[in-house]
Amino acid sequence: MNKLTLQTLERWLWDSADLMRGHIDSSDFKNYIFGLLFLKRANDQFMEEANIAVSQDGVSLEEALEDEDYHQFFIPFDAYWSELTKKSENIGQALDKAFSLIEEHNSQLEGVMTAVHFGDTEKLPDELLARLLQHFNKYSLANEHLDNPDILGSAYEYLIREFADDGGKKGGEFYTPKEVVKLVVSLIKPEAGNSVYDPTCGSGGMLIQSANYIKAHGGTVGKFVDAKLYGQEKNLGTWAICKINMIVHNFKDSDIRKGDTLSSPKHLENGELMTFDRVIANPPFSLKKWWHPAEIDIKQDEKGKEIAPKYNSVVSDEYGRFKYGIPPRGYGDLAFVQHMVSVLKNDGRMGVVLPHGILFRGGTEGKIREGLLNDDIIEAIVGLPEKLFYNTGIPASIIIINKSKSENLKNRVVFIDASSEYKDGKNQNTLTDENIKKIVESYDGLEDIDKFIRIVDMSEIEENDYNLNISRYIDTSEDEEIIDIKATLEDIKELEVKEQEIDSKLNGYLKSLGF
């Protein structure tokens, strides 16, 4: 029997989105399709596990279906795919009930399956759901029918990427382009045995790429990657997608929490923030009103205009994360950076993608930058090309922080101007493998390259008032061509002589023709 290949799986899954067009907004497709994908996969795997138990342990099929010990995820009868596909009415309610029952029997899925609701008959009429179930019924997602077990995770990543493309600006809320992720991971170099944490994990791409990097560098134990993955995500639907993403990639022991990381960090031990070997993130750029408790009870003046709370006086963090200063209300970038620094182990490394503004904006942000530099934990600034991201066309930068810099980098910062390293795209630019390799190898080599990389002493940064704008340290302007005036005048004289000769010849021809 032909096994399901990645190409067939991707096409089949994307076709399911086409069935939904015209019924609901394209930015909502992913929530429903990911739910059905997981339901089908869990059912097919459940049945496969039961059949294996029958053949290997000699139990009856009924016993194998009822014994939870035989299964990664237990599926109760009313959530069987075969039962759901029999229904012709109230299909949405039946799906909602199935997801709820699966959560009841599988504590690790609590809140994941019920994050999306199928019971809205105006959005999802029975006819549409029947067609979707029929479409998903086309192939088995049991391991024995897959070309290899990894293709489900790859197909899931493909869908996340396609939905980000389809969603335009909204896509940036849950997905960072994989090339940018690959670059950041290659710069912080996670190792076997590391704990890796993303405080704004979206659909989990940075965590999965970190695990893939560890795996590619020999960090496996049996068939499992030797890494612990931790993340937090504010958006409920995106959190559910991330949880499923971890499961289909076989990172079921990952620890993904939901909630606002800045006002309510969830990864705690004995009331203190947990710390991690590697911290990585692409937080929302320049997030406004980033401290939720300050925004609950906003006062208005006599004209009805909002009285903006002064964050310097209202932000009070019980975990002491903002030791360098309180960022302004309109720019949450350095709040995320300080949170990340707070949870980074003393021998840890972190990489964060942020807008260029944080490199040079003054006020409190300037003071925070100065504090980070004086503590000598900023190791590198990498300037990226424009139009790499879904939610903005502006160029961004990567900041690498290292709490235990090597001796040759103490009191120094590596600047890399990679703004020209990209492949041009119609709506969006991309980093190629060659671009990524050039950036990473220059960072590892630590040798100055004209107009590209420069290692700068802290004294020079102090002279620039702790401004980290890359153009202050790397001159990318083209050298002006020096013009030899004397040689140019001689060339002009030579041309004038030639012009006279041509005019003379032309006049001779015209005269012979009678003009």
Side-chain angles (χ1 to χ4, degrees), residues 14-264:
W14 186 245
D15 284 345
S16 62
D18 289 334
L19 293 175
M20 304 184 82
R21 293 190 194 282
H23 290 273
I24 58 173
D25 190 272
S26 63
S27 61
D28 292 330
F29 287 175
K30 61 184 183 300
N31 300 317
Y32 299 106
I33 289 171
F34 286 140
L36 289 176
L37 171 61
F38 184 76
L39 180 63
K40 181 68 162 65
R41 161 66 173 174
N43 262 275
D44 291 345
Q45 192 176 2
F46 177 80
M47 294 301 170
E48 181 182 62
E49 289 161 348
N51 287 320
I52 289 171
V54 170
S55 62
Q56 291 184 355
D57 294 357
V59 297
S60 69
L61 181 60
E62 188 179 3
E63 287 175 298
L65 290 172
E66 291 178 357
D67 191 336
E68 295 190 16
D69 290 340
Y70 288 120
H71 304 284
Q72 180 187 356
F73 298 110
F74 183 78
I75 310 295
F77 181 77
D78 283 344
Y80 281 6
W81 187 263
S82 56
E83 293 303 306
L84 293 167
T85 52
K86 289 176 185 175
K87 299 193 177 296
S88 57
E89 56 184 31
N90 298 322
I91 300 172
Q93 290 90 325
L95 285 168
D96 287 343
K97 182 185 176 185
F99 286 134
S100 181
L101 286 169
I102 290 172
E103 279 192 15
E104 283 176 26
H105 285 84
N106 302 275
S107 58
Q108 70 269 49
L109 294 175
E110 185 181 347
V112 176
M113 310 308 298
T114 52
V116 62
H117 301 288
F118 285 82
D120 185 341
T121 51
E122 284 192 21
K123 270 189 181 180
L124 301 166
D126 283 330
E127 181 193 2
L128 171 62
L129 288 174
R131 288 172 66 204
L132 273 171
L133 290 177
Q134 186 181 8
H135 179 77
F136 271 91
N137 213 29
K138 186 174 181 180
Y139 297 107
S140 166
L141 294 174
N143 285 336
E144 64 174 321
H145 296 132
L146 301 179
D147 196 32
N148 69 73
D150 293 335
I151 71 164
L152 200 65
S154 300
Y156 199 85
E157 282 181 42
Y158 160 82
L159 272 186
I160 291 172
R161 184 172 69 251
E162 290 297 313
F163 283 128
D165 282 338
D166 209 44
K169 285 193 173 183
K170 286 187 177 181
E173 295 174 10
F174 63 91
Y175 180 76
T176 304
K178 65 176 182 178
E179 299 84 8
V180 176
V181 177
K182 186 178 178 182
L183 174 58
V184 183
V185 170
S186 299
L187 292 171
I188 67 169
K189 298 175 171 51
E191 299 172 353
N194 275 176
S195 54
V196 185
Y197 167 71
D198 183 342
T200 57
C201 64
S203 49
M206 286 189 154
L207 294 173
I208 286 167
Q209 179 59 33
S210 296
N212 288 340
Y213 182 93
I214 292 169
K215 182 180 180 182
H217 290 78
T220 54
V221 177
K223 64 176 183 176
F224 296 105
V225 176
D226 185 13
K228 293 185 179 123
L229 307 180
Y230 300 84
Q232 186 166 338
E233 171 54 41
K234 185 177 180 180
N235 181 285
L236 178 62
T238 306
W239 167 81
I241 289 169
C242 182
K243 290 277 284 186
I244 297 173
N245 202 7
M246 294 296 151
I247 290 165
V248 297
H249 278 90
N250 287 321
F251 301 134
K252 61 181 186 297
D253 294 329
S254 57
D255 184 351
I256 311 297
R257 311 278 180 95
K258 58 177 180 279
D260 182 343
T261 302
L262 291 179
S263 61
S264 183

Side-chain angles (χ1 to χ4, degrees), residues 343-361:
V343 300
L344 185 65
K345 287 184 178 177
N346 287 331
D347 59 350
R349 294 165 63 82
M350 70 174 243
V352 56
V353 183
L354 293 168
H356 267 308
I358 61 103
L359 300 177
F360 54 80
R361 286 194 296 255

Side-chain angles (χ1 to χ4, degrees), residues 262 283-288 290 327-340 352-358 361 365 368:
L262 291 179
F285 286 0
S286 302
L287 182 66
K288 293 175 172 53
W290 53 267
R329 187 189 188 210
Y331 296 102
D333 308 295
L334 289 173
F336 286 109
V337 170
Q338 290 188 87
H339 167 77
M340 293 170 75
V352 56
V353 183
L354 293 168
H356 267 308
I358 61 103
R361 286 194 296 255
E365 289 183 292
I368 295 169

Side-chain angles (χ1 to χ4, degrees), residues 458-473:
M458 199 66 75
S459 56
E460 185 178 341
I461 295 171
E462 286 174 25
E463 287 169 12
N464 279 293
D465 294 324
Y466 301 97
N467 186 318
L468 293 176
N469 201 355
I470 297 168
S471 61
R472 292 210 173 197
Y473 304 99

